[in-house]
Amino acid sequence: AERKCRWLEAETEIFAQVLESGQKHGLFDVNEPMRTAAILLKATSCMMPNCLTPGDFADPDSVRELASALADILLRGLRKMS
């Protein structure tokens, strides 16, 4: 559990850096990069293999479509509006 927490913290830091860079370049509008990164990781954790069902593994195209839709929804919420 402790090891998993360390990995999650490291991933969160990396995501936050990406968000900060995107904000710096005018791509994202993020008030709290660390909090937003943690939320993004929580939202996408449902796509991890240990969370998928046997039916998901039987239909990988459906999982790909779901992952793509999830990413699109999450990113649209981050895009800076002109």
Side-chain angles (χ1 to χ4, degrees), residues 1-80:
E2 185 178 322
R3 182 176 171 187
K4 186 176 182 180
C5 284
R6 284 194 310 256
W7 276 106
L8 185 57
E9 288 173 11
E11 282 182 305
T12 303
E13 286 283 341
I14 292 167
F15 266 69
Q17 290 171 6
V18 170
L19 294 172
E20 289 169 353
S21 178
Q23 181 146 343
K24 179 179 166 184
H25 290 93
L27 300 172
F28 297 147
D29 187 12
V30 179
N31 292 327
E32 300 176 64
M34 283 296 288
R35 184 170 185 267
T36 302
I39 291 167
L40 288 170
L41 286 171
K42 287 270 190 196
T44 57
S45 68
C46 67
M47 301 306 300
M48 297 299 288
N50 62 321
C51 294
L52 298 175
T53 67
D56 293 329
F57 287 106
D59 189 4
D61 289 337
S62 176
V63 175
R64 264 191 292 281
E65 288 174 20
L66 178 61
S68 178
L70 177 60
D72 189 50
I73 290 167
L74 292 171
L75 289 173
R76 282 178 193 241
L78 297 175
R79 286 189 189 142
K80 190 170 189 173

